[in-house]
Amino acid sequence: MSNTNTTVKTNDFKEIALGRRSVKVYDPSVKISREEMTEILTEATRAPSSINLQPWRFLVIDSPEGKATLAPLASFNQRQVETSSAVIAVFGDLNNFDYFEQIFGEAVELGYMPKDVKEMQQEKVAAHFAALDPVVNKETVLIDGGLVSMQLMLVARAHGYDTNPIGGYDKARIAEAFGLDKERYVPVMLISMGKGVNDGHPSTRLPIDQIAQWK
């Protein structure tokens, strides 16, 4: 298959948002350096999250060994695993409150928040998590994981790469397969990333007057 993809780095948000398509076959010769992947992930983490606790965790699978571990867990998405530069497994950390002090302490140091406000917030948030239904905690983490995943795909396109969100994989086994605590880390989705061999297929969307209401 010839490479006809013309995706390049861009700051044109309209092109990024409207030009993004799910691409499932990539040029396997294209690699993303650890430095650039770090930049992409860093930009993605500007996404919003509940109480700014940033519960997302990324597992970047780009080595032959990592892909070999992933392959049997994503049996319906072999082309993405085999040809992509990397597959990013997005997880949600159910123990995200553990990072409150680091996140809000830095905000105080940088002058973004007065110390007394941080201490007041910490007391309230600690009480909130102490009484929080685990089901609600998981739902919140999954929502935040979805927000960062969409941002990650848009950032990747701005860097000139294509992506495909993947929900069809063995969520019950993936954490343990890569040495993570499955009771703590909730799988959100896989995102394949690389240089597509084509621009992907166009798709239709429901009209806004069918899906939106004004009151």
Side-chain angles (χ1 to χ4, degrees), residues 47-122:
S49 61
S50 179
I51 323 177
N52 193 34
L53 287 179
Q54 307 161 44
W56 40 70
R57 305 291 179 261
F58 306 111
L59 176 65
V60 181
I61 305 167
D62 62 356
S63 69
E65 297 78 13
K67 287 191 172 186
T69 300
L70 177 62
L73 304 176
S75 56
F76 296 107
N77 296 280
Q78 292 300 301
R79 290 182 301 173
Q80 295 95 312
V81 174
E82 292 172 3
T83 64
S84 64
S85 301
V87 178
I88 295 87
V90 183
F91 292 89
D93 185 355
L94 295 174
N95 293 2
N96 54 88
F97 177 68
D98 291 353
Y99 295 89
F100 182 97
E101 182 62 40
Q102 179 179 346
I103 294 168
F104 284 76
E106 184 177 359
V108 171
E109 291 177 6
L110 293 173
Y112 298 162
M113 175 183 293
K115 185 177 181 180
D116 60 331
V117 172
K118 175 253 184 183
E119 291 173 348
M120 178 184 66
Q121 286 276 71
Q122 188 165 8

